[in-house]
Amino acid sequence: MAKDLLFEIGAEEIPAGFMPNILGQLKQLAETKLNDAHLPFESIATYGTPRRLALIVKGLTDTSAEISERHKGPSASIAYDADGNATKAAIGFARGKGLDVADLVVEDGYIYAETKTAGVPAKDIVTDMLPQLITGLNFPKSMHWGNLDAKFVRPVRWLVALLDEEVIPVEFATVKSGNVTRGHRFLGADEITIKNAASYVDTLKENFVMVDQDARRELISKQLHDIAASKNASIVWDDDLLEEINYLVEWPTALCGGFEES
């Protein structure tokens, strides 16, 4: 049965200019590690606001794929003596691959070992992977805090790690993972329980956090154009400024200010 993975790193406000690169790194790193572990998935996405980095992997299989490999060994003339008995070379090669000498095959003048590695449960794979995602990210500047040796772009304050509804144990800088996140600093709840990975985006939205940066950008643009239309005005557009603002807010609300003519 396919499962969804959620991993959220909650932190103090991350510089807006760092965010696009960090989210790209997080996605690429997770994708690489899952592929290396031969754990299939349907889709992978990263989301980010000033206070959080989030990874959502949908459709993870229960276990990784069984791996069949063929290993080339020494030549048959070295592996067997004149009477066809296995030499130390063949015995050592077979032992190194976890096989009996009788399981070796000879082709094209060489011996081969054919091995199969059983699939690994998804939970075990992601339990090992998630801490590596934290330490594998690179930032233009990192911080130490307290008396800890750990470093990150900003101090880490909470972690959410769920495989469907099951909490995956992760610890970084004395912070342990759970299923509790935080809403908007002023509009949302201080603590929010995430029931399962699939409900993450909607649960945060109910607490005034639009975690999807693409949706935020689109909303900011729409709000600006609506205001401009209502004022019979035009916008002096700046894509770089829009991108910066997108990563400065969790719940966009465009406003139009003014001055008295006097």
Side-chain angles (χ1 to χ4, degrees), residues 130-151:
L130 296 184
Q132 297 173 29
L133 297 184
I134 302 176
T135 57
L137 297 174
N138 296 306
F139 315 107
K141 292 182 180 179
S142 297
M143 290 183 63
H144 290 282
W145 58 98
N147 58 355
L148 303 173
D149 292 329
K151 62 180 181 179

Side-chain angles (χ1 to χ4, degrees), residues 4-108:
D4 294 342
L5 172 68
L6 163 66
F7 186 44
E8 182 190 58
I9 306 170
E12 295 183 11
E13 276 74 3
I14 301 170
F18 293 2
M19 289 294 291
N21 179 263
I22 295 173
L23 294 177
Q25 285 188 60
L26 180 59
K27 182 177 182 180
Q28 183 61 54
L29 189 58
E31 189 170 1
T32 297
K33 291 189 176 297
L34 290 172
N35 287 333
D36 288 347
H38 303 281
L39 184 62
F41 58 90
E42 292 177 5
S43 65
I44 185 168
T46 50
Y47 301 111
T49 77
R51 302 177 69 203
R52 70 199 78 225
L53 305 169
L55 168 76
I56 295 181
V57 183
K58 293 184 178 181
L60 281 168
T61 57
D62 287 333
T63 60
S64 61
E66 182 181 78
I67 304 172
S68 297
E69 295 181 287
R70 206 162 192 259
H71 309 274
K72 186 177 182 180
S75 66
S77 61
I78 294 175
Y80 300 98
D81 61 22
D83 297 326
N85 297 314
T87 65
K88 289 183 178 179
I91 295 171
F93 175 67
R95 184 186 302 117
K97 302 304 178 185
L99 299 175
D100 188 89
V101 173
D103 296 325
L104 299 176
V105 296
V106 178
E107 284 185 18
D108 302 323

Side-chain angles (χ1 to χ4, degrees), residues 168-188:
I168 301 299
V170 181
E171 183 172 353
F172 178 75
T174 73
V175 178
K176 295 182 179 181
S177 62
N179 62 351
V180 177
T181 185
R182 302 180 187 179
H184 189 281
R185 190 179 288 279
F186 303 110
L187 303 175

